[in-house]
Amino acid sequence: VAGQGVLRIGELSRRSGVSPELLRAWERRYHLLRPTRSSGGLRLYSLEDLERVRAMQQHLASGLAAAEAAVLATQAEGGPADALRGAEESRDELASALAAFDEPRTNALLDTLLASRTLDWVLSSVVLPYLHELGRRWQRGEASIAQEHFATGVLRGRLLGLARDWSRGLGPRVVLACPPGEQHDLGLIAFGLALHSRGWRIIYLGADTPIDSVIEAAEAFAPTSVVISAVNAEAFGRISRELRALARGGNVYLGGGGAHDLDDIGAVVLGGDPIEEADRLTALVNENPR
Ligand code: B12
């Protein structure tokens, strides 16, 4: 149920990466949070509260003062029905603009969405579902290779635009890469963006990275985590020996469609979508800071 309290302050803090003290300050100063009370008088926060905290973090990261960021974070919200309609309409509009090779219309739509919604929402409600649907249409022969290449090119460019300076900050560092031969990096980019909005610093090596280069980066940057992603399990299989050695460090994670049946490697599989796994990795690291 929308607005219903389900999270205690500690859980809200873990999921957002914001300390309980700061959350309470935002609640007091800006009414950013609207907790309900449990029968025992405990404050309970809703998923909408979590959304507002994320919006606040994104506006702060883009350089706004806290008071301004709070105004935007509390305004951007629509009711749940609105949000649903917005998502479907936005996906349809994105699909039709891209199918028509209309880059300006695509960019204008994305500009509007990014100005009024959180990045998490735009990724998980519009861009990622659109890419899934594009993949299905492509497999059924309903989208041409030209349309698919055009669409993924435009979206990849936009996502990397949002990624500018994502290596900056003070949070935990993560190295992101696809294994040798793997070109599919859109999921990994979305994951990097979701992590960055949760405070992480991103060292992005991207598609088709030699495993030796991943190892070198892990040595050079001493990242909190290393995440490797592939659509195909064979891409992991080909480098299983090196991965197993790397995973002895205890901080290696595998994501994407190919991240299954990899028990012998000793890495943690991030089997969900990029946004929920960004939450999970953030929570794991907050529980066990290295
Ligand atoms: C876009 C695309 C391309 C683009 C990639 C652009 C880019 N920079 O990423 C280009 C044109 C380069 C391409 C090339 C090829 N592709 Co292609 N491609 C696709 C397509 C249409 C969409 C993939 C995508 O980005 N989806 C969006 C992501 C986010 O969704 P997802 O992959 O389903 O991932 C889910 C989860 O796994 C998770 N996730 C994904 N990544 C990550 C990362 C992390 C860290 C986490 C936590 C989670 C996570 O999130 C998603 C759920 O929300 C799919 C079709 C499909 N059905 O998926 C084919 C598809 C993946 N491609 C395929 C193939 C075969 C190829 C080619 C071999 C085609 C060819 N003959 O040239 C080449 C090979 C390239 C290579 N060597 O890697 C096959 C793969 C089959 C397989 N399992 O092996 C697919 C499934 C199409 C098909 N049915 O044939 N492709």
Side-chain angles (χ1 to χ4, degrees):
V1 180
Q4 189 179 305
V6 288
L7 306 171
R8 303 260 294 269
I9 187 103
E11 180 63 19
L12 185 66
S13 166
R14 262 194 300 284
R15 291 225 203 164
S16 60
V18 177
S19 72
E21 295 71 34
L22 191 53
L23 287 172
R24 287 207 192 85
W26 287 352
E27 182 179 329
R28 248 188 350 263
R29 286 186 205 140
Y30 311 120
H31 306 286
L32 189 71
L33 307 175
R34 294 153 202 171
T36 52
R37 297 273 177 171
S38 73
S39 49
L42 271 175
R43 282 178 155 79
L44 289 177
Y45 298 90
S46 66
L47 296 174
E48 284 74 27
D49 286 319
L50 179 60
E51 268 291 293
R52 261 180 257 117
V53 172
R54 295 220 172 111
M56 177 87 182
Q57 286 170 290
Q58 280 172 20
H59 293 308
L60 286 174
S62 72
L64 289 185
E68 285 171 289
V71 169
L72 285 180
T74 45
Q75 272 173 358
E77 207 183 354
D82 264 12
L84 215 66
R85 194 164 57 241
E88 238 181 70
E89 271 167 26
S90 307
R91 281 199 299 270
D92 290 348
E93 169 63 10
L94 184 65
S96 108
L98 284 168
F101 297 93
D102 193 337
E103 193 186 354
R105 209 171 114 208
T106 306
N107 281 328
L109 170 69
L110 291 171
D111 288 341
T112 309
L113 291 176
L114 289 164
S116 56
R117 302 285 191 168
T118 62
L119 180 55
D120 271 6
W121 186 90
V122 175
L123 291 174
S124 64
S125 303
V126 182
V127 174
L128 295 177
Y130 163 77
L131 284 169
H132 277 285
E133 185 50 31
L134 176 68
R136 280 194 292 273
R137 284 213 310 275
W138 187 49
Q139 271 165 272
R140 294 197 299 257
E142 293 163 19
S144 67
I145 291 179
Q147 280 171 330
E148 178 273 319
H149 272 53
F150 178 82
T152 50
V154 170
L155 290 176
R156 190 168 180 279
R158 282 304 300 245
L159 296 184
L160 286 177
L162 296 170
R164 189 176 162 191
D165 285 341
W166 62 357
S167 65
R168 290 239 203 118
L170 299 167
R173 277 206 177 100
V174 63
V175 167
L176 300 181
C178 296
E182 179 62 66
Q183 293 298 341
H184 300 95
D185 68 347
L186 286 162
L188 191 66
I189 296 171
F191 181 67
L193 288 170
L195 279 181
H196 185 57
S197 75
R198 287 158 178 75
W200 290 72
R201 280 180 285 177
I202 314 299
I203 296 156
Y204 187 73
L205 308 181
D208 189 17
T209 305
I211 186 63
D212 288 346
S213 307
V214 178
I215 294 167
E216 273 165 32
E219 281 164 4
F221 295 105
T224 303
S225 311
V226 176
V227 181
I228 304 175
S229 128
V231 160
N232 213 312
E234 279 117 64
F236 292 125
R238 282 194 291 271
I239 51 165
S240 59
R241 199 166 45 85
E242 294 88 339
L243 278 179
R244 215 172 292 128
L246 188 63
R248 278 191 212 114
N251 63 343
V252 176
Y253 300 81
L254 306 178
H260 53 79
D261 301 331
L262 298 163
D263 294 344
D264 59 321
I265 285 180
V268 178
V269 170
L270 302 174
D273 77 35
I275 312 298
E276 69 197 42
E277 294 300 349
D279 265 342
R280 191 171 141 220
L281 187 61
T282 305
L284 279 173
V285 162
N286 286 346
E287 277 158 29
N288 304 304
R290 285 158 57 90

